[in-house]
Amino acid sequence: MTALTLSTAAAPGLRADAIVIGVAKGTKGPVVAPGAEAVDNAYDGKLAGVLETLGASGAEGELTKLPAPAGFKAPLVIAVGLGAEPDAKSGDEGYDAEALRRAAGVAARALTGFRKAAFALPVDGPGAVGAIGEGILLGAYSFDVYKENGNGKDAKSKNGKAPLAEAALLGGKPRDAAHKGAVARAVAVAEELNRARDLINTPPNDLTPAAFAGIAQTAAKEHGIKVQVLDDKALAKGGYGGILGVGAGSAATPRLVKLSYRHPKADKHLAFVGKGITYDSGGISLKPAGHNETMKCDMSGAAAVFASVVAAARLGLEVNVTGWLALAENMPSGSAVRPGDVLRMYSGKTVEVLNTDAEGRLVLADALWAASQEDPDAIVDVATLTGAMMLALGSRTFGVMANDDAFRSAVHEAAEEVGEPAWPMPLPEHLRKGMESQVADIANMGERMGGGLVAGLFLREFVGEGITWAHLDIAGPAFNEGGPFGYTPKGGTGTAVRTLVRLAELTAAGDLG
């Protein structure tokens, strides 16, 4: 991954392949952002005019390249758009973290094949340092293990060039504890988020439930996390009918992985539960043509939970975090669960399976009940659960449901704070009636309209009494089928990792109720 350094060096004398500056969209044209004063001075204060002549406006995501001024050791200047210029009269104190994060990501993607770049973006404190660092590390991500010129360690992009090797953050203070801490946090979170992306992008023939469990065991050992893996025999002995039922049609047997990070001074406990369908064919209720190609991403929730627990351990957060990865492959075969079958879940409730493609809620139900047995202070589950949520919120925003309005608001605010678009959604009680079954305690399907909310109501049935719970339906933003934008690549995105880490940080600080 790209190496981050803090530097107080002046831009003209810094040896680098490029200097990245920010340009904002002002009321009268592009405006050179703070941090680029030395570059602007070298253009006799006319850099904004030069950029405008080249077509730059300062719009978010815009990128303009121009030769560096005479006397600079770097040969290239890259100006990246930050969006609207902060309006001091309106109370804007500076560029927000997400604007910096996205701009840094755009620049990092453009710097593929470069050895070193200096980032002279606006830095007004450790928050900006962390945002820029995070944007660089996430924007420079590439997944090329399966390409002829990739080897898994020094993988190269499709044009044969490696990601940016080193980024120097100008304006960062190498001896300042807060600045160094911001970089350390950015590295830990970005590395784990990129690990989640790797898992999501891995083909399902290589990422079976057993393989995913093995990767979790290796990481847990490295970071001092206790791990427990229940295989199909242990799941049968324990009565995990939901996970076993979903995995019954596949030769790749299911797993339930428990990751336990404990801090000796912690007095709060969070449980994160992730849907880990390593491939979803829909089972007997087979998905239609055109809907199977990206179903390797149906384990994105488990990837996010896994990455967030490891990140919490790496950051040494003063909170206990347990991650539950409900792993199965949903395939059609002679042994697969059929529509009309009834499963007895780990909680003891029975579920009539009306649609085998509504499988995520079945594995989550078992994991939610298992998490509830430890009586955590709160449970958050993460899942690529319903196409209905994509219809409601699009491809970049995830839905947040909860059994507590205040907690739902807190989760929503945490997500927005770290730059993950989210929206609070209701759990209308009248939709519960649609899941009534004549033969079981509940059916796994209800009304078609409001299907994402129906799924949330189903999951609520398997949360222990009195436990605060939230459900994140990340079906839209978990996998980007379009072109890259900001620091988000095509393919697996790692959505929800930063939200979960932020929730753990807030809990450790005593700021989450």
Side-chain angles (χ1 to χ4, degrees), residues 21-24 30-37 39-40 45-49 51 82 85 95:
I21 65 170
V23 55
V31 177
V32 177
E37 290 84 359
V39 181
D40 191 25
K46 299 178 181 179
L47 179 54
L51 290 170
L82 291 165
E85 181 185 23
Y95 295 91

Side-chain angles (χ1 to χ4, degrees), residues 27-300:
T27 56
K28 297 181 180 180
V31 177
V32 177
E37 290 84 359
V39 181
D40 191 25
N41 290 339
Y43 281 96
D44 296 325
K46 299 178 181 179
L47 179 54
V50 172
L51 290 170
E52 188 170 24
T53 300
L54 293 173
S57 68
E60 181 184 309
E62 185 181 75
L63 191 138
T64 307
K65 297 180 180 180
L66 63 163
F72 275 58
K73 293 184 177 180
L76 179 67
V77 172
I78 295 179
V80 61
L82 291 165
E85 181 185 23
D87 184 0
K89 295 181 180 179
S90 300
D92 292 343
E93 297 180 359
Y95 295 91
D96 67 48
E98 182 62 6
L100 296 174
R101 196 180 287 116
R102 290 177 180 173
V106 169
R109 285 194 288 107
L111 287 162
T112 297
F114 285 65
R115 184 185 62 83
K116 182 177 180 179
F119 282 71
L121 295 173
V123 172
D124 58 6
V129 169
I132 295 168
E134 208 173 82
I136 293 169
L137 299 177
L138 297 179
Y141 172 83
S142 69
F143 182 76
D144 301 286
V145 177
Y146 290 85
K147 295 179 181 177
E148 187 176 358
N149 59 359
N151 61 18
K153 291 184 179 179
D154 188 25
K156 297 182 178 180
S157 64
K158 62 184 178 182
N159 59 7
K161 298 179 181 179
L164 175 65
E166 182 182 351
L169 276 63
L170 303 189
K173 302 173 183 177
R175 297 185 180 182
D176 184 281
H179 283 216
K180 290 193 295 183
V183 168
R185 182 190 183 279
V187 169
V189 173
E191 283 186 351
E192 296 312 318
L193 193 152
N194 284 339
R195 190 207 297 264
R197 288 173 169 177
D198 284 347
L199 287 167
I200 298 164
N201 289 326
T202 299
N205 58 317
D206 282 346
L207 192 72
T208 61
F212 195 151
I215 292 169
Q217 286 176 304
T218 299
K221 183 177 180 180
E222 179 182 355
H223 296 288
I225 299 169
K226 185 178 179 181
V227 61
Q228 179 184 10
V229 178
L230 300 183
D231 62 12
D232 53 322
K233 293 180 181 178
L235 290 169
K237 185 177 180 180
Y240 292 85
I243 298 175
L244 285 169
V246 173
S250 175
T253 54
R255 298 287 188 276
L256 178 62
V257 179
K258 177 185 177 184
L259 298 165
S260 303
Y261 161 65
R262 298 292 180 265
H263 190 285
K265 296 182 180 180
D267 59 5
K268 293 288 186 180
H269 178 199
L270 291 178
F272 297 151
V273 177
K275 173 188 173 183
I277 304 299
T278 57
Y279 182 75
D280 181 20
S281 69
I284 297 296
S285 306
L286 194 66
K287 291 181 182 294
H291 290 73
N292 290 286
E293 291 77 8
T294 61
M295 280 300 102
K296 64 181 181 180
C297 80
D298 214 19
M299 37 58 67
S300 296

